[in-house]
Amino acid sequence: MHNDELRRIWNERAEYHAARKLTESDDAMSRFYHTSWWRHIEPLLSNFPSGTILEAGCGTGRWAEHLVPLGYSVTLTDISPVMLKKAREHAERKGFVNGVILKEFDVCDLHPFADNSFDMVISTGEPISLCADPEKAFSEYCRVVRPGGYVLCDAGNKYRRALEVFTKDPSAAFLTILETGEHTAHGNMDLHLFGPSELKKNFETLGMTVHTLAGLTPMLTFPPSTTAQTAMQDQTTLQALEELERKYTQTPEIIALSSRLIIVAQKPH
């Protein structure tokens, strides 16, 4: 999918995502997703207090309102100017706009940023799977992070997606997903999906050291089914999912079951 089409799609979806952001604190799935991601981010922050962080493919922004008050300078980039407008409005509403820089860039082309510009690159919500050229995005993330810094991103899991496709419509389509990693989702969005070992290899090929490869919110689909959303209102179910997250997300079997994969990689000194 060309960048102009991607930009159009995300411009159209910006209002929806901005509205969802206002209700995230009341949504069990959003809170669970946020907590699941944060437990990978927070332990790394002590390595560079008051550093510089890039949130690439930020949408309406997720992490700046947590990172800016801790003393970090956060740059938000997205291919959609409307998403960035909504991100700025949120930052102004919450009072942390002075701690952010907003730039309209595609994750596949961060050329205005010099090599080794950031202490951390965070890319959540599958920009890697949604962009036009994941390999360029991988390369750019690793280029702009400084030696000793970290890249954290998530991506769609082709094995779980193949299972979901087959479950809904048993046909040969699932085999194409397994063999190519390519899939067209609802809304004609082209997805680039990865197996766990493929995702890890992409970073290792670029000279990065992979510290964590895990499933993100295992068992749940994106978006979560209505049944799952209802179930998460039950504290017993939610606690069971949280226990799964704490204990098993880095085991190979659970990684293979997860809709999204998360990777934490460090650039060697």
Side-chain angles (χ1 to χ4, degrees):
M1 185 175 291
H2 294 299
N3 285 350
D4 288 346
E5 181 66 7
L6 284 170
R7 187 174 291 107
R8 181 191 66 77
I9 290 171
W10 292 115
N11 280 342
E12 290 177 354
R13 295 185 181 187
E15 193 68 48
Y16 166 77
H17 284 278
R20 278 198 64 204
K21 194 169 189 64
L22 294 175
T23 61
E24 279 185 344
S25 61
D26 300 320
D27 178 6
M29 174 59 195
S30 293
R31 294 196 305 270
F32 182 49
Y33 174 76
H34 181 94
T35 301
S36 299
W37 246 106
W38 185 248
R39 76 184 188 90
H40 294 286
I41 297 171
E42 187 177 29
L44 304 178
L45 298 178
S46 61
N47 295 316
F48 47 93
S50 304
T52 57
I53 296 176
L54 170 65
E55 188 175 349
C58 67
T60 58
R62 176 172 289 274
W63 303 111
E65 67 182 287
H66 305 283
L67 294 166
V68 170
L70 296 177
Y72 294 93
S73 172
V74 181
T75 297
L76 304 175
T77 67
D78 200 89
I79 197 171
S80 163
V82 184
M83 285 285 193
L84 289 172
K85 178 176 179 289
K86 296 298 181 182
R88 177 179 290 279
E89 290 172 355
H90 181 74
E92 290 172 344
R93 186 165 55 247
K94 293 291 186 175
F96 63 90
V97 69
N98 291 335
V100 298
I101 300 168
L102 297 98
K103 299 285 185 181
E104 184 185 335
F105 295 142
D106 176 13
V107 294
C108 303
D109 184 7
L110 300 173
H111 72 272
F113 298 127
D115 296 357
N116 310 322
S117 293
F118 298 97
D119 295 292
M120 180 182 284
V121 176
I122 306 174
S123 185
T124 67
E126 298 184 286
I128 287 293
S129 288
L130 294 164
C131 71
D133 190 336
E135 289 190 0
K136 285 186 177 179
F138 287 133
S139 179
E140 285 292 82
Y141 291 177
C142 297
R143 179 184 66 80
V144 301
V145 75
R146 67 163 178 80
Y150 295 88
V151 174
L152 299 85
C153 73
D154 59 20
N157 182 358
K158 70 179 186 181
Y159 297 115
R160 173 64 179 263
R161 182 58 66 112
L163 174 62
E164 291 170 2
V165 167
F166 185 80
T167 301
K168 292 178 181 177
D169 179 21
S171 70
F174 77 94
L175 192 59
T176 300
I177 297 172
L178 292 175
E179 292 178 344
T180 68
E182 303 299 311
H183 178 60
T184 301
H186 297 298
N188 292 322
M189 288 291 294
D190 293 331
L191 299 179
H192 307 284
L193 307 169
F194 299 86
S197 60
E198 292 171 322
L199 185 61
K200 185 171 184 281
K201 184 177 179 180
N202 270 284
F203 280 92
E204 291 177 338
T205 299
L206 292 164
M208 301 287 282
T209 300
V210 174
H211 291 296
T212 302
L213 177 64
L216 185 63
T217 60
M219 306 300 180
L220 298 172
T221 59
F222 287 88
S225 67
T226 302
T227 302
Q229 292 186 60
T230 300
M232 291 183 72
Q233 302 304 315
D234 175 69
Q235 282 301 306
T236 301
T237 300
L238 183 58
Q239 287 170 7
L241 286 170
E242 291 170 344
E243 188 73 1
L244 169 67
E245 183 78 26
R246 285 192 295 271
K247 288 184 175 180
Y248 298 110
T249 52
Q250 294 188 53
T251 61
E253 294 82 4
I254 293 298
I255 293 172
L257 285 174
S258 302
S259 293
R260 286 189 186 180
L261 307 170
I262 184 170
I263 194 162
V264 179
Q266 185 178 25
K267 191 171 189 174
H269 288 280

